[in-house]
Amino acid sequence: GSWWLTGSDGGALLRLDALGRPDRLIAADDDGGALPGPNDLVFDRHGRLWFTVSGVFDPAAPPAGGVYCHDGDGRVRQVVGDLHYANGIALTNDGRTCFVAEHLRNRIVAFELSA
């Protein structure tokens, strides 16, 4: 009954209710850290929202991308950092492994998800 949007330029995620009205804005993690370029998202079977932040699209820039998790309690925490322009995220069918495209390093990063 809701929609989630990533706002790369605005540094936030936005949830819209079933009628298209904004009802949740996420502009920082639980520690108050900025979200530099939210880019892509996916939900797991437990209802957690996993999303990427890209950082700066510049091969000479330090890696500032990462993967974050927004859990059912409303917490937002970084689970992977130091990615050089994270741009795409997917989960395996069993929900145990997450794949992230690290665009400026021309690779796919995979990690296991814990309960």
Side-chain angles (χ1 to χ4, degrees):
S2 62
W3 297 85
W4 281 91
L5 308 169
T6 58
S8 184
D9 291 340
L13 281 84
L14 177 66
R15 184 175 72 184
L16 305 175
D17 69 14
L19 297 175
R21 297 175 299 211
D23 69 354
R24 171 97 170 140
L25 179 73
I26 299 173
D29 64 21
D30 285 355
D31 296 325
L35 303 175
N39 179 291
D40 197 6
L41 55 87
V42 65
F43 285 90
D44 68 17
R45 59 184 164 181
H46 304 288
R48 295 176 296 196
L49 170 62
W50 299 85
F51 64 95
T52 58
V53 298
S54 298
V56 178
F57 189 78
D58 181 350
V67 176
Y68 289 74
C69 181
H70 172 27
D71 64 23
D73 295 331
R75 295 180 356 166
V76 177
R77 60 190 165 79
Q78 185 181 50
V79 294
V80 174
D82 296 324
L83 297 177
H84 213 169
Y85 208 81
N87 186 8
I89 188 169
L91 303 176
T92 55
N93 287 338
D94 64 9
R96 294 183 179 166
T97 306
C98 181
F99 295 94
V100 179
E102 191 176 15
H103 184 84
L104 291 177
R105 287 192 177 145
N106 296 316
R107 67 180 182 169
I108 303 293
V109 176
F111 59 93
E112 289 188 31
L113 301 179
S114 64

